Amino acid sequence: MEFIVANFAPIMFAGLICFLLLGFPVAFSLGACGLFFGLLGIELGVFQSSVMAWLPQRLIGIMSNDTLLAVPFFTLMGLILERSGMAEDLLDTVGQVFGPMRGGLALAVIFVGALLAATTGVVAASVISMGLISLPIMLRYGYDRRLSSGVIAASGTLAQIIPPSLVLIIMADQLGKSVGDMYKGAFLPGFMLMGLYVVYVVFLAIFKPAQVPALPPEARTFREPNGSGGYISLVGITALSAVVAVFLARNMEAVHSWFQDEAVTFVATDEKVVVAMCGGVFVALVIALINKGLKLNLLSRLAERVTFVLIPPLLLIFLVLGTIFLGVATPTEGGAMGAMGALIMAWVRRRMSFSLMKQALASTTKLSSFVMFILIGATTFSLVFQAADGPIWVEHLLTSLPGGPVGFLIAVNVLVFFLAFFLDYFELSFIVVPLLAPVAHKLGIDLIWFGVLLAVNMQTSFMHPPFGFALFFLRSVAPEKQYVDRVTQKVMEPVTTMQIYRGAIPFVLIQLTMVGVLIAFPQIVTGALDKAVNVNLEDVGAQMRDSLKPEDGGPAADPYGAPEETAPGVEPKAEPGAEGAAPATPEPSTESTESDPMKAMQDALKPKKP
């Protein structure tokens, strides 16, 4: 028994591993393990029985957590957009834009995957949609089966790292950080990862063109009556939109000054980007609407199609992420606006129905319940684990690693990479992150950067052969037997499970490369965050005391302005300059800030220059 008491925390962690290996659901494994070891610890005297009395308060705290309300809102938004046919329209349209170039269909899948990630935030919806729509087309026109499978699965997993990702909401909650800061930090790494996918496809298009052929002319449906592709007007409206966006970004201070009717000399960079891009795409939408309404024929069929298909989801992205980045709305409020915007878009496209709404609400309820049950189980386990000094054991274990913070980061990322073979990102967020975050904070690691780094690493959990969920999603919609293509009437070979696994490996390596880039260059994440303001409270107090001194050098005035009383029989002191009083010694002139307490406090609160 003494051995169990002395090693209670590691034995409890090993017990959790045994529960998981037995095949029980993660939520119930966490809860059962926590309750069992909680009762055992009380019986052995490891901790007091009052520990279990804290559990109801912890569970009530979960239910009252406003941040977690964003999960069902963003889930509902994504499911409505996916079921309303937005993914199909995007893939069809973007595929026509990039189709004439080698690797164009793969590039279209990556681009649409990023757009779906920024609107749906759900990996399963993105992978299944692109697998149903893009995979038959890519196979029809001779794309390599391994590349087709890998690019669809990898593009679907972008929904985990590109805001508004659900895992970033959970990560921010577990790290005790702002969801808005987590979104800002993950924005650039998410699109850099998309860029690495593009580089890989372009590399194949140059050196292995047979694997990524271009669309044949007969497959290009959006053509003009004279046979041209209509790219000139598409480039023209894109250039005009870009010019408007750049003009707004460079003159944002003047726009704010005109709107607020007062001089504005500084506008934050993220606000410039959001407002400028929103203005640019809005101008393109207005031009397309006027062209269609008045039948001016200024735009080609391709340009008009791209405008009407791409711009509504882009405006929805700016509505949701823009309001969060600018501080206008909380993530929960942004998710609510996104869900309402998705309902309006589906209704305008005449695809809203009772059955669609019923399916979306049912799926949202299932996913939200899944998250809540895992969180309840993880809370039960962590309460007992903390009472048994488990965090101290983990801290001693990890801080003793060689290499300091770098060695800690390498070891943690290797651990998370291997755990991702067996656990998904929700389970990793609730089990592993609460154990690692205190150690990272003690080592001086920025927790936003640490959270984004883990999110990119945990993205590989969807791509790991043989347990990757994205691979399972794709396997469920990929052809398992020979079939006759409905367009070419040719007999097509099936996509085997081994081809899906082999196609995922290059993209797993790309994701690990991104992890290394973030470790080497943390400013990719931290550069987008607001700088912390360092305040020296001693300077604040000193300046406030000095500001209360009168300029003539006399005693400090009563801050409440009460008249000074004298004791009975004691003559009051003569005021300086009065008859019979000694002449006051001249004092050197003081700064104007010392006579103004408010000015002194403002100066003290200014950030100190490094």
Side-chain angles (χ1 to χ4, degrees), residues 299-369:
L299 300 178
S300 64
R301 292 180 59 199
L302 181 63
E304 192 174 87
R305 171 80 176 184
V306 168
T307 304
F308 287 130
V309 169
L310 282 183
I311 289 183
L314 285 176
L315 288 176
L316 184 62
I317 293 170
F318 296 144
L319 172 68
V320 175
L321 296 183
T323 53
I324 295 174
F325 286 174
L326 300 181
V328 177
T330 65
T332 301
E333 295 166 346
M337 288 191 297
M340 181 58 65
L343 289 171
I344 294 173
M345 284 180 57
W347 178 75
V348 170
R349 295 158 63 90
R350 298 180 181 178
R351 296 186 178 180
M352 175 55 66
S353 63
F354 178 76
S355 61
L356 184 149
M357 192 68 183
K358 182 179 177 181
Q359 292 174 7
L361 289 174
S363 300
T364 301
T365 304
K366 289 179 181 178
L367 181 60
S368 302
S369 301

Side-chain angles (χ1 to χ4, degrees), residues 38-73:
L39 297 175
L40 181 62
I42 294 172
E43 184 69 24
L44 297 178
V46 179
F47 41 75
Q48 299 295 323
S49 60
S50 60
V51 169
M52 301 306 292
W54 303 339
L55 184 58
Q57 186 177 2
R58 289 285 190 96
L59 299 183
I60 292 173
I62 296 173
M63 301 302 174
S64 60
N65 191 338
D66 293 337
T67 302
L68 295 177
L69 278 175
V71 174
F73 282 135

Side-chain angles (χ1 to χ4, degrees), residues 27 52 79 126 180 199 240 246 382 401 414 456 472 496 507 529 545 572:
M52 301 306 292
L79 291 173
S126 299
V199 170
L240 179 61
V246 172
S382 64
L401 294 172
V414 171
V456 176
F472 290 157
T496 65
F507 292 94
L529 305 178
R545 289 193 298 270

Side-chain angles (χ1 to χ4, degrees), residues 106-404:
L107 294 177
V109 168
I110 295 172
F111 183 70
V112 173
L115 275 178
L116 292 177
T119 51
T120 64
V122 181
V123 174
S126 299
V127 174
I128 292 174
S129 298
M130 292 191 294
L132 287 171
I133 300 164
S134 294
L135 186 59
I137 299 174
M138 298 174 81
L139 298 180
R140 179 183 305 153
Y141 297 112
Y143 268 69
D144 183 76
R145 281 170 163 71
R146 292 169 297 180
L147 173 66
S148 302
S149 304
V151 75
I152 290 174
S155 300
T157 60
L158 289 173
Q160 185 179 349
I161 188 62
I162 294 179
S165 164
L166 297 182
V167 70
L168 293 178
I169 298 174
I170 303 299
M171 190 73 70
D173 179 70
Q174 295 299 305
L175 294 174
K177 293 295 181 179
S178 163
V179 177
D181 285 343
M182 193 68 71
Y183 279 177
K184 287 182 181 179
F187 192 78
L188 184 57
F191 285 98
M192 286 182 64
L193 185 60
M194 183 195 76
L196 292 178
Y197 292 167
V198 170
V199 170
Y200 175 65
V201 172
V202 171
F203 175 83
L204 291 179
I206 296 173
F207 295 101
K208 294 185 177 181
Q211 294 187 6
V212 284
L215 278 180
E218 62 271 13
R220 304 169 194 172
T221 56
F222 297 109
R223 303 184 71 87
E224 298 301 292
N226 59 5
S228 65
Y231 285 91
I232 296 177
S233 62
L234 176 61
V235 172
I237 194 171
T238 303
L240 179 61
S241 179
V243 168
V244 171
V246 172
F247 176 80
L248 284 175
R250 290 186 175 181
N251 298 275
M252 195 63 65
E253 290 83 2
V255 173
H256 274 267
S257 299
W258 168 79
F259 183 75
Q260 300 179 12
D261 198 20
E262 61 181 20
V264 177
T265 58
F266 176 76
V267 178
T269 303
D270 51 2
E271 182 174 352
K272 287 183 179 180
V273 172
V274 170
V275 176
M277 294 184 69
C278 188
V281 298
F282 183 74
V283 167
L285 180 61
V286 170
I287 293 174
L289 289 172
I290 294 174
N291 176 75
K292 185 174 183 179
L294 300 179
K295 298 181 180 180
L296 301 177
N297 295 324
L298 296 176
L299 300 178
S300 64
R301 292 180 59 199
L302 181 63
E304 192 174 87
R305 171 80 176 184
V306 168
T307 304
F308 287 130
V309 169
L310 282 183
I311 289 183
L314 285 176
L315 288 176
L316 184 62
I317 293 170
F318 296 144
L319 172 68
V320 175
L321 296 183
T323 53
I324 295 174
F325 286 174
L326 300 181
V328 177
T330 65
T332 301
E333 295 166 346
M337 288 191 297
M340 181 58 65
L343 289 171
I344 294 173
M345 284 180 57
W347 178 75
V348 170
R349 295 158 63 90
R350 298 180 181 178
R351 296 186 178 180
M352 175 55 66
S353 63
F354 178 76
S355 61
L356 184 149
M357 192 68 183
K358 182 179 177 181
Q359 292 174 7
L361 289 174
S363 300
T364 301
T365 304
K366 289 179 181 178
L367 181 60
S368 302
S369 301
F370 167 74
V371 172
M372 292 304 297
F373 269 102
I374 290 184
L375 185 53
I376 289 172
T379 301
T380 305
F381 176 84
S382 64
L383 175 65
V384 178
F385 194 69
Q386 289 175 4
D389 292 331
I392 298 177
W393 169 68
V394 174
E395 181 179 325
H396 289 168
L397 183 67
L398 295 178
T399 53
S400 60
L401 294 172

Side-chain angles (χ1 to χ4, degrees), residues 553-581:
D558 186 351
Y560 297 100
E564 186 177 353
E565 297 183 359
T566 58
V570 179
E571 295 184 1
K573 297 179 180 178
E575 291 293 328
E579 185 178 355

Side-chain angles (χ1 to χ4, degrees), residues 295-590:
K295 298 181 180 180
L296 301 177
N297 295 324
L298 296 176
L299 300 178
S300 64
R301 292 180 59 199
L302 181 63
E304 192 174 87
R305 171 80 176 184
V306 168
T307 304
F308 287 130
V309 169
L310 282 183
I311 289 183
L314 285 176
L315 288 176
L316 184 62
I317 293 170
F318 296 144
L319 172 68
V320 175
L321 296 183
T323 53
I324 295 174
F325 286 174
L326 300 181
V328 177
T330 65
T332 301
E333 295 166 346
M337 288 191 297
M340 181 58 65
L343 289 171
I344 294 173
M345 284 180 57
W347 178 75
V348 170
R349 295 158 63 90
R350 298 180 181 178
R351 296 186 178 180
M352 175 55 66
S353 63
F354 178 76
S355 61
L356 184 149
M357 192 68 183
K358 182 179 177 181
Q359 292 174 7
L361 289 174
S363 300
T364 301
T365 304
K366 289 179 181 178
L367 181 60
S368 302
S369 301
F370 167 74
V371 172
M372 292 304 297
F373 269 102
I374 290 184
L375 185 53
I376 289 172
T379 301
T380 305
F381 176 84
S382 64
L383 175 65
V384 178
F385 194 69
Q386 289 175 4
D389 292 331
I392 298 177
W393 169 68
V394 174
E395 181 179 325
H396 289 168
L397 183 67
L398 295 178
T399 53
S400 60
L401 294 172
V406 176
F408 166 76
L409 288 173
I410 294 174
V412 164
N413 279 282
V414 171
L415 173 67
V416 170
F417 177 76
F418 283 105
L419 286 177
F421 277 92
F422 311 101
L423 303 175
D424 72 354
Y425 63 101
F426 277 130
E427 296 155 1
L428 289 170
S429 299
F430 288 134
I431 299 173
V432 179
V433 174
L435 301 178
L436 301 178
V439 184
H441 181 68
K442 186 174 183 179
L443 292 173
I445 297 172
D446 185 274
L447 291 184
I448 296 293
W449 172 52
F450 186 65
V452 174
L453 183 66
L454 291 184
V456 176
N457 195 336
M458 291 183 336
Q459 190 178 3
T460 61
S461 67
F462 285 96
M463 298 290 293
H464 278 316
F467 304 113
F469 284 96
L471 308 183
F472 290 157
F473 297 147
L474 184 61
R475 174 70 279 173
S476 66
V477 297
E480 298 184 51
K481 301 178 181 178
Q482 286 186 345
Y483 67 99
V484 178
D485 184 74
R486 62 182 180 83
V487 175
T488 61
Q489 301 302 317
K490 293 182 180 178
V491 177
M492 307 295 295
E493 295 297 323
V495 177
T496 65
T497 302
M498 188 55 63
Q499 287 173 341
I500 295 176
Y501 288 166
R502 293 179 62 184
I505 293 175
F507 292 94
V508 172
L509 297 177
I510 291 174
Q511 292 170 348
L512 294 178
T513 301
M514 191 65 208
V515 171
V517 170
L518 290 181
I519 293 177
F521 304 100
Q523 61 270 23
I524 295 175
V525 176
T526 58
L529 305 178
D530 297 330
K531 303 303 179 184
V533 178
N534 296 321
V535 179
N536 190 329
L537 296 181
E538 294 183 0
D539 290 347
V540 174
Q543 292 192 28
M544 291 181 66
R545 289 193 298 270
D546 293 341
S547 66
L548 295 175
K549 294 180 180 178
E551 294 185 0
D552 54 11
D558 186 351
Y560 297 100
E564 186 177 353
E565 297 183 359
T566 58
V570 179
E571 295 184 1
K573 297 179 180 178
E575 291 293 328
E579 185 178 355
T585 304
E587 291 279 346
S589 62
T590 58

